[in-house]
Structures are given as C-alpha cells and as structure tokens.
Amino acid sequence: MSEISKAYEPQSVEDKWYQFWLDRKCFVADPARVTAKRPAYSIVIPPPNVTGVLTLGHVLNNTIQDILARKARMDGKEVLWLPGTDHAGIATQTVVEKALKKSGEIRHRDDLGREKFLERVWQWKEKHGGIIIQQLKKLGASCDWTRERFTMDPEYSRCVQKVFVELYKKGLIYRGKRMVNWCPASLTALSDEEVIMKEQKGSLYYFKVEVADSRAHGSSGRESAQTPAVENQSPLTSAATGETEKRTFGPIPDAEGRIWLTIATTRPETIPGDTAVAVNPKDPRYAKYIGKHVLRPLPAEFPREQKLIPIIGDEHVDFEFGTGVLKVTPAHDKADFEIGQRHNLPQIDIMQPDGHMNPLAGEPLNGLDRFKARKVAVELLTGMGALEKEEPYTNNVGFSERADVPIEPRLSEQWFLKYPSAEKARACVEQAGSAGLRPGALEDTEETGRVGDRRSDKMQFHPDRWAKVYDHWMGNIQDWCISRQLWWGHRIPVWYRKNKREDGGLKIENSGQSVGANSSSVLHPPSSIYVGVEPPSDPENWEQDPDVLDTWFSSWLWPFATMGWTGDKSHDSNTPTLQAFYPTADLVTGPDIIFFWVARMIMAGYEFMNEMPFKNVYFTGIIRDKQGRKMSKSLGNSPDPLDLIAKYGADALRFGTMRSAPLGQDILFDEQNVELGRNFCNKLWNACRFRQMVGSAAVPAPHGIGSAAVPAAPGSEESRRGACATFEIQGEIDPTLLTADDKWILLKLDQAILEMDVAFAEYKFSDATATLYRFFWSEYCDWYVEASKAVLVKSVTELNESSATPREATHLTNHSFDDLTNQRANTLAVIDFVLSHTLRLFHPFLPFITEELWQGMGYAADMPENQGGQTIMTAPWPRPLDDDFKSHYGLTGDDEKHIEARNELVSQGRNLRRTANIAANKKVKFIFKPARKWAAHDVEALKLLLNAESVEIGAHHQPAKGTLAVRTELGDLFLPTEGLIDLEAEKARLTKELQKIEAEISKVEQKLANPNFTQKVPAHVLAEHKQRLAEWQGKREHVKATLAALQG
RNA sequence: GCGCGGUUAGCUCAGUGGUAGAGCACUACAUUGACACUGUAGGGGUCACAGGUUCGAACCCUGUAUCGCGCACCA
C-alpha cells in the first residue's frame, strides 16, 4: 500500500485502459445483441475535417457524445457511436494546393491536371488524415472504430451519386444560369449558407449622369436654370426641412439646359456593367424621366450611342435611400439581376472569375483587381467632373466563409436542388415551449432504466430555442446551389454528349429569360445528357460534368450512408446495422451548422429513410477565450487540447470542460477549469487511497490502486458469482450498526443519483458535474470521511478508552470491544458501497481514472462478468435507493436533519476556535450541553471534527466568565477561553451579529404583522415564517446572554 | 429593421413567486497520518434600470439601456 502514489498520475493509466477497452471490443456495436430488453442507442459523430486537428470545440462536442454513449452502455443498451471524417472539399483542396505551391512544385493546380492533382490530395489525406482520429482516442472517445467512415469511401460515394440521380429524376435537381455567390479566391460558387455578412467601412459615392434626351423634350425649368447643379443633388440627404416639398421638385436643369441625375453607389467600378438606371415609379421627382435614357459615364471611351442606357421604373427602388436613383448592374448584383429580369435588361459581365476586370470594363479598368478598379473608377469620375461627393458609409458585405474574401455575385451555370421533404422536416421539430418533460418521465426511468428518452414523436432541440431559428430558416429556404468548381469531392454524375456540346445544345442564352426549375429539360434535351450512378456504356461519346458536389451534399446523408444504406429498399431492409441503429438517438453539434448540416440531414432522413435521422439535437455553445473572443489561429488564443491532456490528463480536460459548459451558453475557456478537473481527479484518487489505507472489509482484498493490472482475458470466471446482482443491496452492511453519519451519506448518495438522472434527462451536463463535485467533495470527503475517522483512524483500544471519558453523562450509550470492531467493518462497507456507486456515476465523465480505481479497488471483482466484472464501462448505472432499501437500513429524514444540524454545530464550533485565535492544529477542550440524547459515536465524531482534545458533556454546565458559546438546534457548545481572546473584538463581533439578527427579526415580524400576508399566504409558508421568527429570537436571546457574560 | 439570448459577489455562472447560492479569486490560520493538486474559518451582492401585477418579485408583465448572436437587407 505504501507504493500508491500520493497524487494521481493520468499518464500512467490512460493509454493502458484505452488499449484494454479496444482489446475487449468494448466499443464495438453488434446489432445482433439488440433486443427489447437491450435497446439500441446510437450517435453519429459530426465528421471532422479529415485533415483537421483537434480543437477545444471538438473536445466539448465529443466529450458530450462520449458521456452519452458511456451512460447508455451502463444503462444496458447496445451502443453504436459511429465515427468518421469529412472530405471538406474547399478546405482540403486549398490546403493541398497551397502546400504544393509553397514547395515550388506547381504554380497552379492546372500544372498537374485533375487526375494528378487528385492523386496528391489522396496522398495528403493518407498522410495527414486521421490525426484527429488518434486525438479523439486520447480524449477517451468510445467510438466503434471498426465502423469508421469517410465521406469519400467508395460505398459512401455511391450513396451520394445515387441520391443525386434520384433527385434529378424527381425533377428536384436542375441546372441553370443564375446569380450565385462566387468566391474569387477559391474560384467556385458557394451556397447562401457559406456567405457571412460582415460590416465594412467604405464609401458611398455620388456621381451624376446626364439625361440624354432632356434637351429634345425641353424643360419647364429651363429659364430658372441659374441654380448650380450642386444644389440639385440628393435632395433627401441634405436636411430634414421641407423633405416632401423637395421631392416634388426633382432635378433642375443646368445652365445649358441639361438635366443630371445623381446616383449613389458603393461600387463605382461596376458602372461599365450598368444597363439601366432605375427610379421608383411613385417618386414624383423622377417618374417623369422613366422611358428616357442617361449617358453611362464608363467606359469613357465608348461612343455616345453605346453609353445610352434606359431609365426604368421599378418598385424595388427605395426613394428614401441615397438619391432615389439606382444604377442597375444585372450581372453583378442579386437585386439588380432581378430588376434586369423584370425589364429584360441585357447583362454585361465585366469581371473575370478571379475578381479582376475584363475588357468589357473598358480602359484603364481592364485587368485591374476589383478593389483597385474601384479607386480608379472614382478617379475617372472625378476627372470628368461627374463625382459630386464621397461620404463614409458602412454597409454589410458578404464574405466567403472559407477564403474570407468578399464574395462576388456572379452569373454562372450551376446545379441547384429544390429541397426535398422540406415540409415534413419543418414540421417534425418540436417548437419551443410546446413540450417539456412529460409528467412521470422520471418514473419511467426507474422502471425501464432508460433515462433521457423523450416520449414525443417529435424531434427535440436542446436548448429548444434553436427550434425557432430552424423553423424560420425552413420557412424561407431557397434552392441549394450544389455544384462546386473544385476537383476534390464527389464528381457530379452527369455526362454530356460530346457532339452536342459543339452544336450549342448546352449554350445558355444570356437574354435575361427567366431560368426555372424545368430548365434542365430545355437546356439539355434527353439525348444530350446522361445522368446515372454508372458512367454511360459508350464513354468515348460523353464528357462528364467537370464540377463536384458541395461537401454538405454528402454529409447530409451521414446518419444512414454510414450504416450501409444503398437506396435499394429490399437490400436496406436486410441491413442489420441500419435496421438496429437508425434512427439515431442524439446528435451533438454546434448551432453554427444548424442550416448547413442539421436541417439538411433531417430532410435527407425523411426523403431517403422516411424517418427523422435523430430524436434529439444537442447544440453546444461556442468556445471562446477568457475575454470572450472566438478561438482563432491568428489570435493564438486557442490552446492545443493535446497539450492540456499531457499536462492535466484527459479526464481533467473533460471534467473541466463539462463543468464550465452550461446548456445553451457559450463557454469562456480558462485553463483553470482544467486544473480544477485535475484537482478533482486527485481528490477522487486520494479518497480511494484513504479507503485502502484503512484496510479491507466488505469486499475481497483490493488489488491496490496505482498498480491496477489489466485483468486476465475475459470470460475466465464467468459464473463465479450468481447472486452478485444483489451485491448493492446486501453487501456487508449491517443495518443495526449504521451510524447517523452512515445513514446521512447514503441519503446524500441517493440524492446525487436522483440529481444525475434529472441532469441527464435534461441534457444538463454542467449540472451533472456540479452534483458530482458537491456530493463527492463537500459531502463525502469533507464531512463523511472526516466523521468516519472517528471509527476508522483511531485504534480500537484508543477508541474504547476515549469513549469512556464522559461516562458521567447518562445520555451516553457504551460499546463493547466487539461492537467497535464490527462497527469498523460496517463503516468500511458503507464506504465501499458509496465509492463503488460514485465511481459509476463518474465514469461517463472520467472514464480513465474510474476504470483504474474500479479495477484497483477490487470493485470489478465483485460484479458479474458482463455487469462491471470486466470493466466499469458495463457496470450498471446506479439507481436511486428504493423504499425497501431505505426502510431496511432505516434511512429517514430525521437522520439527515440530525447530521446537517451536527455539521452546523461543528462549523459554529470551528468558528469559535477561530474567534479565540486558536491555531487550527491546537487541541482544545469543548463543553457541549446537548438538547437530546447523544450516541457515543456522535460525541467521538464531534470531537474529531472540532479537532478537540475532548468534548465534555455537561448537561448542567454553567459557563464561566469569558467562555465563548454558541447555541444550535442540537444544544449549546462552549469553549472556555481562559482569557485568550480579545474581549473587545469579540464584543464588537457579537454586537454586529446581534444587529443582523435584529434586522432579520424585524423583517419577519413585519411580514407577520401584515394581515394581508397572514390571511392570504399558504399555511406552510406561514408556519415557516413563524418558526423562522422563533429561531431568530432564540439566537437573539443567546447572543445577548453571551454578550452579558463577556461584560462579566 | 425583425427575431433570439444575456445583464445576479472581483471573475465564470446556478437560481420558474416565500431567509440571495456555487466554484474560482481574495483574507487569515494550519504542513495533524487520504489529499497543499489540501484543510478550516471569514469578508464580499440595491440581482442592469424604470414602471406594473402580487401579501410578497432576482423570478411574472410592460418599457428602457447595454452586450452578444442569428435572419433580412437600401444601391
């Protein structure tokens, strides 16, 4: 026993047990084992990027999943936690391309060509992929690694293609030339969800354009044309006065009779792409110009007739904004595109895919980057006198989520998906507030052992407020742009007939005709397009679509494509994994991918499995640093979880993270939390160490913690103990020998189990850790273990002797030597009972240390092979103590109250010590005047807890002058100070306390004096107040008496 | 603009109408035999603000301020 290390050393146990679990196939799910009595429980991991590394976000997310999985195993379920990784199209391709560029191997991926480049990506994946999987193992993740999946596995890829083809055949997938979010850095289209709006400080430029045919039609204002043009501009931006009056005026002709319109824009570089100027037809300032034309100032070198663009009327124009005149650039703005559609405007694309201007932008913009071009355009306008003003302006600009550059709205031909099963998917999620825990849900728990199951046939979000966000998005979804101009990903299973490509069958008219859902049949006559999982039988005549699918178009199939789904109903209905484990129970993910992933998985689940993919969705918070900033590489505020594990242990990291991650809140990460986790593990370790040091009793000889060897091969002693299931109840505990402390801790354990069940049912993992922390540290260690030393630590003779000291007291009962020996054994039995339950309660949170202790303490050896005998992983989850148990052991609320009052007495007594400036290690004499009869053990415990030399029982004690005293429910405690204390300081303290007591008394008295209160309040509240008043009054009396005694 | 969430001790947060709580941090004491990765005791809060409902409000209602997030956007 002396070999047990004083501190827990996680490094020496974690790998050992992880390997042990792997060797025993503890994580492997077997659908054949699923029965009515052993229900299935499944989770699919949100697949991390295959080339990613573990972040604190992953730690949070996967620890929760591991907790759920381990808890479910202890509940006796057949558990599948299915792991895997995602190919992460853009991210991975970018990383590899950058690396190849950096090594000087290529300048562009075209240098390698598609096939060679993809080979390199696969190589990269083989080399760097899977790092995160190894890291998850360090964390203790109990995934079924035999079923690890990758979104580009051949079977998985086939699912993706199958789904594409099926949706295409249903007419839900179509191709069309539309305005998409284009990323000029990644050179691909993006979905709306991949665009992040960011506030940008820029400028709003006001420039004027001449109304071309103004002179021809004359102008009534011509004679009064002395007013400088400057005053005509932007009538609504100048002042608040006479706003409506100004509106009726509109532009005033200049000295030469020309009319100018002023336009406000943030993007002057797109002027060459303008094909109209729009005003609101209801705007009295401008309506009269509709149908006329203006001269577009850029490109400046164009002849006049090419500069003429129409003035159109469109309701979209807000006449409160800017000048009320809008330039319309259908090829470079989503809203303008729609205006263009309505008015049959031409589209002039003036930009290259990479965001540089093309020749249509004219000189000198041609070839410039779009932001450089903006500056130059402003210079040009200034040069020609067209720029009227520039004012600072803040607006929102869409950024590419991955590349973090402003996206460019761009016309391009893409594949789109009309979301399938959207109505079912929208309806299936329980909306906030419409359902809670069904009454009796926890009772069900006791009967079935299935904690946390939701009864509603609807899907539950946790926290449920996300349901509203989901519903809102589902109610407004736009078709999903699923094609990406990348190489890394699932290639679109569409082929075009080669000879048709030349004859224009695929050419898309740029006429501004609306392109609808049926356009595919228009654009691609059936003979010219082939869509199928298998390539066409005559590949030489066909050319495959070069694009790949959005990564999310593969991950939305994750819950079933990972389980062997093929889309062939007769096959799938015979796939055991799918049949047993779909739908899954819980999904744990971040709210940032609620649209990207969660919503789409729900739709796919209904569409392809005709069932929701999961019953519960737990949304974690976002991990931030202490200052509340998001974790980011550039800030360097993101600690490496592996470093933390090396420093503190995986259990510490898990516990610290869980403890600081309340449901629905962002988490401010602080390494101190991990430190706290480590301290907690150490406390657990030492509590078990204490148990070992005081000897064996109720269980077979412990193996010794710290050196817990991995047990011999499983199955060797399968039937050794038939009756072990009843160990918990019978054990070696003798009800007649239980002390009040024993009963108290058993009740506290019961309470902790109940709280854990509630916490699990409500997905409140931080509550669960708080319960564990409080129960184990504050209740078990601080009180119970300390009190138990009254029995355990003293030698039996010593105990016998000291218990004889206060023999004069008739209140005391006495014990024989044998009694005390039995008592000792009984206390150890209680400790074993509590510890063996506690370890199980801890296991989902602290898998490693609990396994080490479970084995090392010998608790494993006391359980049936498949119920904890082999590993704590399969030990049954503790149940609350039932009524039979409680009555058998005589556990009542009275014992609980007694010990709580005793603890209060102890605290007060310690406070007296402190008041008297008695050093913590100095033993002093207390005198106790009990209100009721006290057992010998209780006196002994009191003595120990007060670190007293003795506690004398004085039924009729009359305190001498200068004696400190405190009155509690259980009696008066005296500490003779013999002049050791500062009388004045003590008087001051008591006076202050008296004031506090008086304040409390008057508060309660006031309430009780109010007839409204006494008449309306429920009886129990009234009684409570009266009792409280009596208590305070009693204390007041006592403090007054003590003060008087001090005065002498 | 619309919606959601937050505002409680120095910090991070619990607290669904009846005596304001925890952990950390802080102060003091103690190296006593499980643990200094420890123990004991202590100090510390007008529950953002203003109204309202109620016998009684941190809690329910209305409004305001402020921080954060999401959605939609006016060029």
Side-chain angles (χ1 to χ4, degrees), chain A residues 547-564:
Chain A
D547 291 350
V548 300
L549 290 160
D550 181 3
T551 305
W552 298 107
F553 191 86
S554 59
S555 26
W556 74 325
L557 313 175
W558 189 251
F560 50 87
T562 49
M563 292 190 187

Side-chain angles (χ1 to χ4, degrees), chain A residues 905-942:
Chain A
L905 169 66
V906 169
S907 290
Q908 302 250 28
R910 288 164 172 172
N911 183 281
L912 291 184
R913 293 179 60 112
R914 181 83 201 110
T915 304
N917 275 320
I918 295 166
N921 59 344
K922 183 164 191 244
K923 299 211 181 234
V924 289
K925 289 184 184 174
F926 281 90
I927 297 134
F928 182 50
K929 188 173 164 186
R932 294 194 295 270
K933 185 177 174 180
W934 269 54
H937 163 78
D938 286 353
V939 179
E940 193 56 35
L942 187 61

Side-chain angles (χ1 to χ4, degrees), chain A residues 834-900:
Chain A
V834 173
L835 280 181
S836 67
H837 278 70
T838 304
L839 287 176
R840 282 181 272 163
L841 292 174
F842 277 123
H843 176 71
F845 299 84
L846 310 172
F848 295 110
I849 189 173
T850 49
E851 184 75 275
E852 170 74 13
L853 292 170
W854 183 255
Q855 307 274 353
M857 296 291 290
Y859 299 137
D862 212 58
M863 302 290 274
E865 178 70 19
N866 60 355
Q867 286 185 57
Q870 182 184 90
T871 162
I872 192 172
M873 277 186 67
T874 50
W877 181 255
R879 301 240 186 127
L881 308 181
D882 58 30
D883 289 345
D884 286 349
F885 184 100
K886 285 180 183 168
S887 77
H888 183 247
Y889 289 104
L891 310 183
T892 67
D894 287 347
D895 297 303
E896 201 173 353
K897 283 200 194 107
H898 172 73
I899 291 300
E900 249 126 56

Side-chain angles (χ1 to χ4, degrees), chain A residues 274 289 374 731 769 1033:
Chain A
D274 292 351
Y289 300 115
R374 183 173 303 167
T769 52
Q1033 282 169 339

